[in-house]
Amino acid sequence: MRALVCLPTYDERENLEPMLRALGEVLGPDDRVLVIDDDSPDGTGELADRLADELPFVDVLHRERKEGLGRAYLAGFRVGLDSGAELVLEMDCDFSHDPKDVPRLIEAAADADLVLGSRYVHGGGVRDWGLVRRLISRGASIYTRLLLMPVRDPTGGFKCFRREVLERLDLDAITSRGYMFQIETTYRARRAGFRVREIPITFADREVGGSKMSRGIVAEAIWKVPALRLAAWRGRV
Ligand SMILES: Nc1nc2c(ncn2[C@@H]2O[C@H](COP(=O)(O)OP(=O)(O)OP(=O)(O)O)[C@@H](O)[C@H]2O)c(=O)[nH]1
Ligand SMILES: [Mg+2]
């Protein structure tokens, strides 16, 4: 397998089918998609099974309960490593990330170990977000840049890892669940000496379904960014 696209879902019934069909249009013959569903109350998991029967490039990982994006991705990363994928991608299922950008992320991994789809490099941007969401996202980027690393869009969740990165990272040590999961994985990759490259993407607000953003997710990032810095000073990261 060349690339495994990990697609976490929680109540994405309206988005899942159009997303899988759109991915089918852009993926190559050696690429697969893994839907990681946390027992969505709206039946996304059953829909995923039906679509997996029809679409040969789709697999489904059912998890028993909602434990946040971080846990879901870690489960997907392990599947990617076990099944021999060269590249493992992260992507939202709400069309904030444009499936047409997937081939660009994959191409960029030819000369990088971790590719980030970035809203805050030249050519990137955000569509349809109100002032509050823009401020939170920009604030998180500035905060992370001051305390941790010179990455312009550290909280983005459209990423492509070379398998060597996931093999090297201590996945069991990663406990972050929300935006912090994105910051932490990129930070650990940089600390391990891997080449991180940002390529521009345009991020669009979801049109259907509800956001899972919460205060807890923001709070986790506020305290864990300095905690990660301290852990690094102590040589634990
Ligand atoms: N499996 C799983 N998927 C999740 C969980 N939380 C969110 N997701 C999925 O992760 C992706 C991103 O979640 P969103 O709700 O869009 O969160 P967000 O992108 O941070 O917030 P918005 O920008 O407001 O949409 C979507 O595909 C969600 O369905 C979770 O606990 N488990
Ligand atoms: Mg979203």
Side-chain angles (χ1 to χ4, degrees):
M1 197 194 316
R2 179 180 67 157
L4 178 72
V5 178
C6 294
L7 199 65
T9 55
Y10 194 77
D11 284 354
E12 298 289 358
R13 200 181 46 205
E14 300 100 323
N15 286 316
L16 183 63
E17 180 164 0
M19 176 54 78
L20 290 177
R21 294 197 187 280
L23 284 170
E25 298 287 310
V26 298
L27 292 177
D30 299 327
D31 302 332
R32 300 191 68 78
V33 179
L34 180 68
V35 178
I36 308 162
D37 187 71
D38 283 2
D39 198 23
S40 296
D42 76 347
T44 302
E46 293 85 70
L47 175 62
D49 285 336
R50 257 183 281 139
L51 290 165
D53 283 341
E54 182 198 332
L55 303 169
F57 59 93
V58 175
D59 296 302
V60 188
L61 178 65
H62 293 280
R63 305 180 73 249
E64 275 176 18
R65 68 186 83 88
K66 177 164 163 54
E67 289 182 309
L69 210 54
R71 296 279 119 189
Y73 272 131
L74 289 173
F77 292 171
R78 292 192 175 98
V79 170
L81 289 177
D82 289 347
S83 52
E86 280 169 46
L87 305 170
V88 178
L89 286 89
E90 295 182 0
M91 178 179 187
D92 291 357
C93 190
D94 58 3
F95 284 93
S96 287
H97 301 145
D98 186 345
K100 293 197 197 81
D101 287 333
V102 167
R104 289 174 50 233
L105 260 78
I106 289 176
E107 274 162 34
D111 57 8
D113 302 305
L114 169 57
V115 179
L116 311 180
S118 179
R119 295 163 285 194
Y120 308 128
V121 295
H122 184 71
V126 173
R127 233 183 14 231
D128 323 312
W129 257 4
L131 185 65
V132 173
R133 285 303 299 265
R134 280 174 198 269
L135 285 177
I136 292 174
S137 180
R138 282 295 195 162
S141 301
I142 293 167
Y143 185 63
T144 305
R145 214 176 313 161
L146 289 174
L147 288 179
L148 278 183
M149 58 186 171
V151 169
R152 303 196 71 86
D153 189 358
T155 59
F158 200 9
K159 301 166 72 155
C160 178
F161 296 86
R162 295 200 65 81
R163 70 172 289 119
E164 294 77 15
V165 178
L166 299 179
E167 280 169 346
R168 176 89 72 84
L169 298 190
D170 181 2
L171 299 183
D172 294 325
I174 300 176
T175 54
S176 306
R177 288 162 180 241
Y179 292 131
M180 189 61 206
F181 179 79
Q182 308 302 356
I183 298 172
E184 183 169 359
T185 47
T186 298
Y187 185 63
R188 286 177 182 269
R190 285 178 51 95
R191 292 273 305 174
F194 289 110
R195 299 162 302 167
V196 177
R197 180 173 165 201
E198 291 184 86
I199 65 165
I201 58 153
T202 299
F203 181 100
D205 199 8
R206 65 158 72 238
E207 285 180 8
V208 281
S211 170
K212 281 108 219 165
M213 227 272 273
S214 68
R215 277 199 208 134
I217 284 174
V218 176
E220 180 194 46
I222 291 174
W223 76 265
K224 272 208 171 169
V225 164
L228 196 54
R229 181 85 229 197
L230 274 178
W233 268 330
R234 292 192 181 128
R236 291 191 190 144
V237 173

